[in-house]
Amino acid sequence: MRAVVLVGGFGTRLRPLTNTTPKPMLPVGHRPMIARLVDRLARGGVTEVVLALGFRPEPFVDAFPDGRCGDVQLTYAVEPEPLDTGGAIKFAADHAGIAETFIVANGDVVTDLDVGELVAAHRRWSAEATLHLIGVDDPSAFGVVAIEDRRIVDFVEKPEPGQEPSNLINAGTYVFEPSVLDLIPSGERVSIERSTFPLLAARGSMYGVPTDDYWIDAGRPELYRAANLDLLRGVRRAESCQPVADGAIVAASARIVDSIIGDGATVGADAHVVDSVVLPGASIGPHATVESSLVMGSVGEGAELRRAIIGADGRVAEGASVVDASVPPPAPG
Ligand code: GTP
């Protein structure tokens, strides 16, 4: 079975980390988010993944130089300009010549969903489209469905708070019949959530599978951090990771608590790292304190970070304090 994986977004909410690394290439538990996603799709029967790229294919090609991720063959579909989610699915499916039932996944979803079960439900109901659904407390920031006996009868993207038809949201993994592609014009910017799903709901051919699987949309900093740290907490069905990568250099007197230290990162003497992700190649100086933060760049001796995001080119000076802020800061405008 083939899958289209959407990886072409700008990842603005994860800046400055995404200034240098596309969001799906950021590590979750020492492995690129996309590699964990492709592995899970493979466990559900996927043998080929078409990566729908809006820009900059190089980091992906460099990471998978032989065009494979494990046993899965990778194909790259690079849009001439970002086409939004629906336009990207159409472009990628046309590029790969998809004319059979296929899977679509958002590249930033971290979940334990069994994709094989989603496909089985889709076939059982002879659906045109089947969506993975998750129940959340505040659905208004997502695509929300109204569902009647598994059939999705309404789909509203980011409704006004209080106007949500249910607490079930689009969890970013779909099974589509090729006829869904006929609803999307070629070469145009189309949002699958705003344009195509309402049409399918009106047709009565779209179904939903609510599950209580682990699920995180890792596109926001605090959720990207949680997606990493949850791998240490034993809350995932089949995945876990060690806190400190083998290739990290951590001083014996450093204290690492509920944190991940990536390959090639260094942590100096008496540094204290809590609830944080120190990404590959980052450096934490001696006596620094890093709390609830994401660090790709360097943190000077004795500096203090709390709820900070330090990009690859971010340098925190010796003794400086960064609280609820990013280095470098967001570009103006
Ligand atoms: P933000 O800029 O932080 O909102 O992140 P994003 O650009 O990734 O947007 P969002 O999380 O809403 O996108 C959902 C999924 O669709 C992600 O996996 C994106 O990579 C992908 N995506 C969004 N727009 C495009 C596009 O124009 N082309 C392609 N190929 N993928 C896209």
Side-chain angles (χ1 to χ4, degrees):
M1 187 153 206
R2 295 198 272 181
V4 170
V5 177
L6 293 168
V7 290
F10 290 104
T12 44
R13 291 165 300 166
L14 277 184
R15 285 180 188 155
L17 304 183
T18 47
N19 288 352
T20 48
T21 306
K23 179 166 59 174
M25 290 302 303
L26 289 172
V28 167
H30 307 295
R31 299 189 63 212
M33 213 183 282
I34 183 72
R36 286 188 179 269
L37 170 55
V38 171
D39 283 358
R40 192 170 51 78
L41 293 173
R43 290 197 292 274
V46 168
T47 51
E48 180 185 339
V49 163
V50 186
L51 291 176
L53 292 152
F55 68 119
R56 285 212 300 156
E58 300 82 11
F60 295 89
V61 179
D62 292 349
F64 307 105
D66 57 354
R68 301 190 76 80
C69 175
D71 290 334
V72 174
Q73 187 194 325
L74 300 177
T75 305
Y76 301 93
V78 185
E79 296 144 41
E81 57 194 349
L83 292 173
D84 206 344
T85 46
I89 294 166
K90 172 84 168 177
F91 180 87
D94 283 353
H95 176 88
I98 290 179
E100 72 285 352
T101 308
F102 66 106
I103 293 166
V104 174
N106 282 349
D108 48 5
V109 163
V110 178
T111 178
D112 284 338
L113 170 73
D114 181 334
V115 175
E117 283 178 13
L118 194 70
V119 174
H122 176 84
R123 296 221 153 105
R124 208 161 47 239
W125 299 326
S126 302
E128 188 173 20
T130 303
L131 275 52
H132 177 216
L133 305 174
I134 286 280
V136 298
D137 290 338
D138 178 11
S140 63
F142 301 93
V144 189
V145 302
I147 191 162
E148 283 175 12
D149 194 22
R150 305 291 187 200
R151 195 190 298 261
I152 295 174
V153 293
D154 198 10
F155 186 101
V156 195
E157 184 66 13
K158 300 191 177 67
E160 289 295 315
Q163 304 293 308
E164 306 94 340
S166 75
N167 73 333
L168 289 175
I169 60 151
N170 168 16
T173 307
Y174 325 128
V175 186
F176 283 171
E177 289 306 302
S179 58
V180 172
L181 299 170
D182 300 337
L183 297 173
I184 308 172
S186 290
E188 288 181 24
R189 280 186 66 85
V190 179
S191 158
I192 197 90
E193 298 88 357
R194 291 182 190 279
S195 301
T196 319
F197 288 160
L199 287 176
L200 287 163
R203 258 188 195 183
S205 60
M206 181 161 72
Y207 289 72
V209 177
T211 77
D212 57 7
D213 290 307
Y214 177 91
W215 180 88
I216 274 188
D217 165 358
R220 296 209 322 248
E222 66 279 17
L223 294 176
Y224 170 66
R225 193 163 55 85
N228 273 278
L229 302 186
D230 282 348
L231 285 163
L232 302 173
R233 295 174 179 144
V235 297
R236 301 293 305 275
R237 189 191 297 156
E239 296 184 50
S240 61
C241 77
Q242 59 191 58
V244 180
D246 292 339
I249 299 166
V250 177
S253 59
R255 275 196 300 151
I256 311 293
V257 182
D258 298 331
S259 296
I260 287 185
I261 314 293
D263 196 26
T266 57
V267 182
D270 295 316
H272 190 189
V273 181
V274 188
D275 278 334
S276 295
V277 181
V278 176
L279 288 127
S283 76
I284 309 293
H287 304 283
T289 301
V290 176
E291 212 179 282
S292 306
S293 296
L294 298 163
V295 182
M296 251 188 178
S298 71
V299 175
E301 179 165 356
E304 280 192 28
L305 307 188
R306 283 183 223 292
R307 296 174 303 277
I309 309 177
I310 314 301
D313 45 357
R315 307 265 168 272
V316 178
E318 240 180 79
S321 168
V322 181
V323 179
D324 291 316
S326 298
V327 181

